[in-house]
Amino acid sequence: MPELPEVETIRRDLEKDAVSKKIKSVSVTGKRSTRRHPAPQDFINRLEGRKIAGVTRKGKYLLIRLDNKDVLVTHLGMSGQLQRVKSPKDPEEPHTHVVITFTQGGQLRFVDPRTFGEMFVTSEDGLVADVPELAHLGFDPLDAAISWTEFARMLMQRRAMLKPLLMDQEFVAGIGNMYADEILFAAGLRHDRISNSLTAQEIRRLYRGMVETLTEAIKHRGSSLADEQYRDIFGDSGDFQSLHRVYDREGQPCRRCRAVVVREKVAGRSTYFCPQCQV
DNA sequence: CGATCTACCTGATGGC
DNA sequence: TGCCATCAGGTAGATC
């Protein structure tokens, strides 16, 4: 569920709240969440005693940097949440798989019902300024913005439908099913337009739509849909969903032209768009 | 190369 | 009330 704006919201909160905290103890109850490690104890050993030095992000991955150049990488998958609690006595929610307790008090908990998310500790590759596990990711549209002419070049090199391309993490990192639809509406482009058929003006609209939609969503602390699955580290919802122009608005009037918003299945995923505004 | 399907999981919801 | 199908913000791998 969480896409770039939700992960960035979490990153900013952790940056303020968790940096310089020292990890006193770690418990892993859901082995699947640390599946990249041969055993949970590996994961625990690399964390205990470390201090949090900083928090960065690439696409939907959160990188919690430690004081020894190791990095705790977290991906929330479809249903993952990070919860910052004041006391170990706070009741644990079901599906709490990893609990990090700080020396200064309080905990950071990883909760993930569907277990598509994960946490792992790895080392930064000094040469690439990245961790090897994330080397496949494309550029981050906010953290490592590229010029629109470079974006144009990338689009022209491909012959793919726009929506799957925007969701391809190797092409651009951080956009998922929800923001892809919102970005395409902002750009006035249909999901099935072919990347190398866009005019220069359309490319510019797509680029702007991408940057502006993601930036606006971060200002509103991300989107929390009806199931309230996305919450920030303090348990609060985002409110960008109230500004969605197409996603989850099937049958409702387009906010721009009043035409009815349509939902279609594209590659197995729900796709919402305005048949009038998007061409 | 690009598109489509499957698998990985749990939980909520709606129809009957 | 139960049961079944469908759906859900993600990713990776297989197949055509």
Side-chain angles (χ1 to χ4, degrees):
Chain A
M1 36 157 39
E3 303 181 31
L4 188 153
E6 291 76 30
V7 178
E8 176 61 16
T9 301
I10 292 169
R11 187 200 71 74
R12 292 180 183 185
D13 286 348
L14 279 179
E15 181 79 43
K16 274 188 259 178
D17 194 81
V19 169
S20 86
K21 297 279 190 295
K22 186 175 177 184
I23 298 171
K24 181 178 163 194
S25 62
V26 177
S27 83
V28 177
T29 43
K31 284 199 287 285
R32 201 176 125 75
S33 298
T34 56
R35 56 190 172 273
R36 291 206 200 209
H37 291 266
Q41 196 59 46
D42 267 22
F43 173 80
I44 295 168
N45 289 345
R46 290 182 73 167
L47 288 177
E48 286 183 345
R50 302 267 62 91
K51 244 186 207 172
I52 294 179
V55 187
T56 59
R57 180 187 57 73
K58 183 157 188 192
K60 302 172 194 172
Y61 288 84
L62 201 58
L63 292 90
I64 301 176
R65 295 174 183 280
L66 308 175
D67 57 358
N68 64 346
K69 302 301 176 196
D70 271 2
V71 183
L72 168 59
V73 181
T74 301
H75 193 289
L76 299 172
M78 287 282 263
S79 61
Q81 285 183 22
L82 285 177
Q83 300 177 349
R84 185 77 173 91
V85 300
K86 291 213 170 66
S87 161
K89 288 178 180 146
D90 286 15
E92 252 182 38
E93 280 191 20
H95 309 290
T96 298
H97 300 130
V98 177
V99 176
I100 294 170
T101 302
F102 298 115
T103 305
Q104 293 88 342
Q107 296 181 325
L108 186 65
R109 298 176 180 170
F110 179 66
V111 182
D112 184 16
R114 292 178 74 180
T115 70
F116 292 170
E118 61 168 336
M119 283 183 140
F120 62 91
V121 183
T122 184
S123 296
E124 189 162 13
D125 182 334
L127 291 176
V128 197
D130 210 347
V131 303
E133 290 86 347
L134 305 189
H136 66 286
L137 294 177
F139 75 102
D140 185 286
L142 298 189
D143 190 57
I146 58 170
S147 67
W148 83 267
T149 48
E150 171 67 5
F151 186 59
R153 201 184 56 76
M154 289 172 61
L155 285 171
M156 288 309 182
Q157 282 179 345
R158 303 287 292 267
R159 195 169 46 256
M161 297 193 300
L162 288 183
K163 180 166 179 185
L165 189 58
L166 286 176
M167 291 174 62
D168 179 350
Q169 303 300 301
E170 297 186 30
F171 184 75
V172 50
I175 299 169
N177 196 44
M178 178 168 59
Y179 289 104
D181 285 359
E182 291 299 313
I183 289 166
L184 288 167
F185 178 88
L189 296 168
R190 281 180 57 100
H191 57 85
D192 52 0
R193 286 288 301 277
I194 302 300
S195 54
N196 69 353
S197 77
L198 303 193
T199 65
Q201 194 191 31
E202 287 174 330
I203 291 171
R204 233 171 306 173
R205 289 206 320 253
L206 182 57
Y207 187 79
R208 277 192 56 172
M210 176 172 73
V211 173
E212 290 181 1
T213 300
L214 297 172
T215 303
E216 268 313 286
I218 292 168
K219 279 188 195 158
H220 290 269
R221 300 185 61 79
S223 303
S224 297
L225 298 182
D227 58 12
E228 294 282 326
Q229 282 221 68
Y230 164 68
R231 300 295 192 83
D232 65 25
I233 62 172
F234 308 111
D236 295 324
S237 301
D239 60 59
F240 190 67
Q241 67 283 356
S242 62
L243 298 175
H244 283 185
R245 292 183 284 183
V246 284
Y247 191 84
D248 207 22
R249 297 194 66 244
E250 182 186 17
Q252 295 179 238
C254 170
R255 297 193 198 275
R256 186 185 281 159
C257 79
R258 305 273 112 195
V260 173
V261 173
V262 171
R263 175 165 77 142
E264 257 179 31
K265 279 272 180 217
V266 177
R269 314 294 301 274
S270 280
T271 296
Y272 301 84
F273 64 99
C274 171
Q276 192 99 27
C277 293
Q278 295 174 252
V279 295

